[in-house]
Amino acid sequence: MSIEVELYEKIRYLHEQECKSQREIARILGVSRNTVRKYYKGSQVPWERQGISGRAPYVVTDEVMDFIKECFTHDASENINKQKHTAKRIYDRLVEEREFCGGESTIRRIVKELQDKQAKVFIPLSYDPGEAIQIDWGEATVYLAGKRTKINLFCMRECYSADSYCKAFYRQNEESFLEAQISGFDFYEGIAKRIIFDNAKVAVKEGFGIHAKVQDRYKAFAAHYAFQCDFCNIAAGHEKGLVEGLVGWARRNILVPIPRVETIEELNEEILRRCLNYRTHQIKGKNQHVGEMALMTKTRLTTLPRYRFDPSRSIIARVSDFSTVRFSYNQYSVPVKYAGKEVSVKGYGNEIVILYQNTELARYPRCYDRGQTKYRLEHYLDLIEKRPRSVFNAKPVKDSVSAGLLEFGRKLSGPREMVKLLRLYTDYGEDKLLKAIENLKGSEITIEQIQAHLIPVSIPAKIALNIDIKVSKPQFNKYDSLLTGGTAV
């Protein structure tokens, strides 16, 4: 039995100071001799729990123990983390398959003892300036143009200074992966000797860790920027713990509250601003700010090559009869004069760029849906001007112009006037155009009236007159001398 400290004190005093026997102490204090025997020598104390008796439950036979261990062995062979035996499942199976009659708590205790392993211990690491950079991906949610959108956040961290760089992309594809690293190298103004990251499919052909075989294009990329690929082992996030922490930091500090932006470019401007601001931070245990250590690191980084690696996925495509180009399941328009010609299409992580003989024809935010067509009204205006009767049914018009502006155009005197309205739309934008229409009063508004409202009147510049004119004082004596025939002095 467990006793109070006061009783323990009396037992110890009677034994040590008065040399009383166990029998006599038990009689004096009115406790059992077993209690006296337990505490009188001081080998046990009442304020520390001594644990269980140590007797094994009679229901836990060798057969039961073997069954529990077989469950663990089976889990290890399957290697599926989310489908392993729990103590509850083992107990249920014992009852069903082995007619186990013991309690569930008994099995829970045994499972806990068998699974009691040493906690994971990690080795603290130290890096030299410019030695290594860690990279990783994370996911986050933002509002793009009012729509809740999941974005992929690329994170990069220099290991010595902890200088951090992040950039948002729509997808974790090869184009985004390469583009992100190039922009990160630009941010650091150099490249580290090693890049440490997961066994991403965009970089690894097969294998993992030191056995990984690098994809051909990524091998060329690493060769161009002169760094060594250092792949982590599977499920070994601690091997790139610096960037793992950055992913969580970026989500909690940059993307909370959830950003509401119109474009992903606007989001990346804010992320870059926060990364630059992080350089003023001083990490606990470091003597310098992140920016100060980053300056030291910069001198050790490999210089950026003169040729900028092209991270895009590029194709040659022929412009269709509808003046569109197909790229990755979607169509993008170009000016109609290029119909039937072959153009280059470059797909970057967040953008599509279309070129003809090194001249840029169009640039679009990249669409990752399927079966979409992206039109630009200005690409078709020349053709619509030649065929004005198509203006109200032209898909580029319907996809670009709001229903309100289209309805106003129907009230004009004809299709040709609608074409003129579209010209104003491309020159001034819909907001200014609608505002001009609202400011004009009258039942019938003409294009000329709208133009007059949009085009500012040139007011002649005022000429500044100098009103302080100096007049010399008249010299009448000279005039008098001339009249008398004298010489003027």
Side-chain angles (χ1 to χ4, degrees), residues 246-265:
L246 175 61
V247 173
W249 180 89
R251 272 197 291 253
R252 293 187 300 270
N253 292 273
I254 301 178
L255 304 178
V256 174
I258 299 176
R260 295 177 180 270
V261 293
E262 288 300 313
T263 64
I264 200 167
E265 287 75 21

Side-chain angles (χ1 to χ4, degrees), residues 217-237:
R217 193 174 186 212
Y218 196 75
K219 185 185 291 185
F221 177 78
H224 182 65
Y225 285 98
F227 66 83
Q228 176 187 345
C229 300
D230 196 345
F231 299 105
C232 298
N233 290 309
I234 295 175

Side-chain angles (χ1 to χ4, degrees), residues 30-71:
V31 296
S32 69
R33 290 176 60 187
N34 289 337
T35 301
V36 176
R37 186 184 304 111
K38 182 177 181 180
Y39 293 108
Y40 84 105
K41 287 187 177 180
S43 57
Q44 293 188 34
V45 291
W47 55 81
E48 287 189 5
R49 183 171 176 173
Q50 300 301 314
I52 59 176
S53 64
R55 294 182 298 171
Y58 72 94
V59 291
V60 182
T61 62
D62 292 341
E63 184 182 1
V64 171
M65 292 297 295
D66 291 341
F67 183 87
I68 296 173
K69 292 176 181 178
E70 284 175 9
C71 292

Side-chain angles (χ1 to χ4, degrees), residues 169-183:
F169 289 88
Y170 293 117
R171 294 289 187 275
Q172 295 184 26
N173 54 20
E174 184 184 70
E175 303 91 274
S176 302
F177 187 58
L178 298 179
E179 182 184 340
Q181 290 176 75
I182 294 171
S183 57

Side-chain angles (χ1 to χ4, degrees), residues 474-487:
Q475 298 177 354
F476 294 107
N477 59 340
K478 291 184 179 181
Y479 179 72
D480 292 339
S481 65
L482 288 173
L483 290 176
T484 58
T487 303

Side-chain angles (χ1 to χ4, degrees), residues 49-99:
R49 183 171 176 173
Q50 300 301 314
I52 59 176
S53 64
R55 294 182 298 171
Y58 72 94
V59 291
V60 182
T61 62
D62 292 341
E63 184 182 1
V64 171
M65 292 297 295
D66 291 341
F67 183 87
I68 296 173
K69 292 176 181 178
E70 284 175 9
C71 292
F72 292 158
T73 303
H74 178 77
D75 290 343
S77 64
E78 294 291 349
N79 195 26
I80 302 176
N81 289 331
K82 294 184 178 181
Q83 289 178 247
K84 291 186 175 182
H85 282 86
T86 62
K88 174 71 166 59
R89 181 56 185 150
I90 293 174
Y91 171 75
D92 290 342
R93 287 191 60 189
L94 280 169
V95 173
E96 294 173 8
E97 301 175 24
R98 302 298 169 93
E99 298 181 354

Side-chain angles (χ1 to χ4, degrees), residues 464-475:
L465 298 176
N466 188 358
I467 59 175
D468 296 328
I469 301 174
K470 294 182 179 180
V471 180
S472 60
K473 186 177 180 180
Q475 298 177 354

